[in-house]
Amino acid sequence: MQKIAINSGGEMNEIYRSALVVTDENVNRIYGGMLPQNKCVIGAGEANKTLLSVEKIAAAMIKCGVKRSDRITAFGGGMIGDVAGFAASVYMRGIEWSFVPTTLLAMADSCVGGKTAVNVGLVKNAIGSFSLPDVFIETKYLNTLPRREYESGMGEIVKMSLLDPLLYEFMQGKFNAETAIKHCVRLKSAIVEKDMYDHGARKALNLGHTVGHAVEVLSGMPHGTSVLVGLRLELLMLRDYIPHNFFYELQAYINKYLPELRYNFDAEAVAVIAMSDKKNVDGISIMYPVSIGEIREAALDRRTFIRLLREAM
Ligand SMILES: NC(=O)c1ccc[n+]([C@@H]2O[C@H](COP(=O)([O-])OP(=O)(O)OC[C@H]3O[C@@H](n4cnc5c(N)ncnc54)[C@H](O)[C@@H]3O)[C@@H](O)[C@H]2O)c1
C-alpha cells in the first residue's frame, strides 16, 4: 500500500533525508531557496518530459554519489513526478523515491499509483515504469500555482468525479481543494490497489484521455485541461451509448469548468496520435460513463473515430 500523507508538515524532513531533490526551473525559482544543495533542476513543462532529462537526473545522481540504498525526492508537478520517478526506477535498476507534489493535478492524481514515464516524439508516456513513491502532499504549495495550472488540475478532478458518487456529490457544492484531493487520493488508491498494472479497473481513469492526450500534443494546452476537452469530445462521440438524461447532465457539469464549446482539431491527426495509445487492443479504445461510477469501454476503428470526432467538433 502506498504511503500518502496529506498536510502532515513532514515534507521538508523527507527532502533533507534524500540524496537528491529533482525539481523544475519554475518551482526552483519560487522554492529553490528552501531546498538543499544536492538538487537537480530541469526545464519546466511537458517538452522536458524526455529521456534527455532522465539522463540529466542520472548524471546528477552519479555526481552526488547516490547509492542503491538511497532515495531521491521529486519536488514539483506531475511532469517532475513522472520523469524523476522514471529515473529513480531505472537508476541502478531501481531505487526508492518520494514525491512532494506542488500542483493540484499532481496532488489529486499523478502522485497516486506509481506510473512514471517520459514522452518520445509525439507519443506521450511512451517509455515508463511502475514505481510507487512515498507521497507528502502539502496544499500550501497551491498558493503560488498559476490559474491556468489550477484549472488543469480541476480537469482531472472533474474526470475523477465521474468515477465516484461521493466525489461527484461533493463537486456539486462549495469547492475546497484539500477535501477534493482527499477524495481523489482515496478513490485512485482504491482503484490502483485492485489493478496496479493497468489491466482492468485502472482503465476507468483513462476517461477523456484518448482524445485528451492528442489534444495536449496538438494544442499545447495543459494536461488536465486537455483531458477535460477530451472528455467532452469523447462524450459527444459516444452519446448514443450514454443514457440521454445523464449525457445532458454531464454536458452541463463540464460546461461549468470548460466554457469553450467549439474545437477545430485536425481529426486525422488526433486519430494518428490516438492509434499509438497503449490502451488499444482492437481499434481505438475510449472509456465512457453510463452512470456515475459505471465506466465502459468502446473500441472504434480509425474511420469511425474520425467521423464521430468531426461530428463532435
Ligand atoms: N503518473 C500519473 O499517474 C499521471 C497522472 C496524470 C498526469 N500525469 C502527467 O502529469 C503531467 C502534468 O502535470 P502538471 O499539470 O502538474 O504539470 P507540470 O508538472 O508541468 O506543472 C505545470 C506548471 O506549473 C509549474 N508549477 C508547479 N508547481 C508550482 C507551484 N507550486 N507554483 C508555481 N508554479 C508551479 C511548473 O513549473 C509547470 O510550469 C503530464 O506530463 C501528465 O502526463 C501523470
Side-chain angles (χ1 to χ4, degrees), residues 115-230:
K115 278 191 181 175
T116 80
V118 294
N119 307 326
V120 177
L122 290 185
V123 183
K124 255 190 82 75
N125 304 330
I127 297 179
S129 63
F130 290 96
S131 173
L132 285 172
D134 289 346
V135 175
F136 297 81
I137 297 171
E138 292 294 329
T139 48
K140 66 184 178 199
Y141 293 115
L142 295 177
N143 293 336
T144 55
L145 195 64
R147 189 191 161 106
R148 167 184 146 98
E149 300 303 336
Y150 197 91
E151 286 171 359
S152 172
M154 291 302 292
E156 285 281 15
I157 294 174
V158 168
K159 174 217 79 180
M160 205 97 88
S161 72
L162 304 197
L163 308 181
D164 181 54
L166 274 179
L167 175 55
Y168 187 72
E169 196 187 317
F170 165 76
M171 292 297 284
Q172 312 310 313
K174 191 171 175 328
F175 185 79
N176 162 282
E178 182 174 346
T179 311
I181 290 165
K182 283 182 175 160
H183 273 296
C184 290
V185 167
R186 163 188 58 76
L187 172 65
K188 189 168 174 187
S189 300
I191 293 172
V192 169
E193 221 161 279
K194 275 193 228 152
D195 179 28
M196 173 73 193
Y197 296 105
D198 209 359
H199 299 306
R202 200 164 175 166
K203 277 186 168 182
L205 292 163
N206 288 323
L207 274 180
H209 280 67
T210 302
V211 174
H213 272 171
V215 165
E216 185 178 358
V217 170
L218 294 173
S219 72
M221 269 188 259
H223 178 79
T225 309
S226 303
V227 167
L228 202 53
V229 172

Side-chain angles (χ1 to χ4, degrees), residues 27-48:
V27 177
N28 188 54
R29 207 171 299 125
I30 303 171
Y31 298 108
M34 61 183 213
L35 296 177
Q37 291 293 318
N38 48 333
K39 68 180 169 188
C40 173
V41 181
I42 63 172
E46 194 64 21
N48 291 293

Side-chain angles (χ1 to χ4, degrees), residues 263-280:
Y263 300 98
N264 193 17
F265 299 113
D266 176 346
E268 304 248 358
V270 173
V272 167
I273 295 170
M275 280 167 68
S276 65
D277 199 299
K278 296 182 288 304
K279 298 186 294 295
N280 298 332

